Amino acid sequence: MNQKERRIWLIRRLLQENPACSSLPVPKDESGHRRFLRSLMNIRMPGLPDEEFLQVQDAYLQEEVKHRGIVKLSDLQILRDGIRLWRGDITTLACGAIVNAANSGMTGCYQPCHSCIDNCIHTFAGVQLRARCADIMTAQGYTEPTGQAKITPAYNLPCDYVIHTVGPIVQGPLTRQHCDQLASCYRSCLQLADQNGIGSIAFCCISTGVFCFPNQKAAEIAVETVTEYLAETKSNIEVIFNVFQEQNEEIYRRLLQQ
């Protein structure tokens, strides 16, 4: 199958799985077709499909990753010992682990084609990631506390692992508790990476965006926590601060070059 044929096959299978969507019109243009498939994957409930579905999906997603381009750790500029800064799509980064800013349910974003990092990571990893996260949460028996972290394979992403952490949601004034919880997110991810022998980790801007943590303060906490962790533990893990907006790139560059 080529990519178009895989896309059509996956759409048909997902519509069969979800009769409530079977009457939806399937777009005919390529862009609409891609968004429709992503939407169906976003709303799919946790659970592994049959092996044929996984083979077709994996071939499709791996080809998509190649098309978007894979960024290697060696391509990124070092701004401070063991710390790099990069602006781009974290789902294209080939490193030990990338960090997902998850919600407390930990099974991804179910809003079709939402632009949040949680949605993007689950989209390009494949349905296996949601199924694995659901298994972890079922075994845990309660929602994920703010400031902790869980690790899963990355499946069809070019990194090896995804580390999921729930950052604080800021509603109203920023508090000391918000700041402590955000610092805990970074420490928990670093500890989990070291415990699993991961050599490099890429952090997104945890809790900024829809969680409303102020960008400047979030970056200050991120840089301070990571720097202290590396100094205290003598860890050799390489850290990438991944940003998507130019504003955040400027903030992190100033902090890292001080």
Side-chain angles (χ1 to χ4, degrees), residues 44-173:
R44 185 181 187 275
M45 299 305 290
L48 285 178
D50 59 46
E51 190 60 34
E52 183 181 17
F53 182 98
L54 293 178
Q55 288 177 358
V56 176
Q57 176 214 241
D58 290 356
Y60 176 78
L61 291 176
Q62 288 165 22
E63 189 62 31
E64 288 294 291
V65 167
K66 291 179 185 177
H67 177 73
R68 291 184 301 127
I70 296 175
V71 179
K72 298 178 181 178
L73 189 65
S74 57
D75 297 331
L76 309 182
Q77 179 187 10
I78 299 175
L79 289 185
R80 187 182 288 185
D81 288 348
I83 300 177
R84 292 170 165 84
L85 173 64
W86 178 62
R87 179 158 65 102
D89 182 351
I90 201 170
T91 65
T92 65
L93 189 56
C95 62
I98 62 173
V99 172
N100 178 28
N103 57 54
S104 61
M106 294 289 280
T107 58
C109 170
Y110 289 80
Q111 184 175 335
C113 295
H114 193 252
S115 60
C116 71
I117 192 170
D118 198 14
N119 188 294
C120 294
I121 287 174
H122 276 268
T123 293
F124 294 108
V127 299
Q128 299 98 312
L129 182 57
R130 178 167 284 170
R132 181 63 173 268
C133 289
D135 288 344
I136 291 171
M137 296 311 291
T138 298
Q140 178 165 286
Y142 54 88
T143 56
E144 184 72 359
T146 301
Q148 296 186 16
K150 294 287 188 293
I151 188 169
T152 64
Y155 298 103
N156 291 291
L157 295 168
C159 57
D160 298 321
Y161 297 94
V162 179
I163 296 178
H164 311 258
T165 189
V166 181
I169 299 173
V170 179
Q171 296 176 326

Side-chain angles (χ1 to χ4, degrees), residues 61 147 150 182 192 207 247:
L61 291 176
K150 294 287 188 293
L182 184 60
L192 200 50
S207 273
Q247 172 195 5

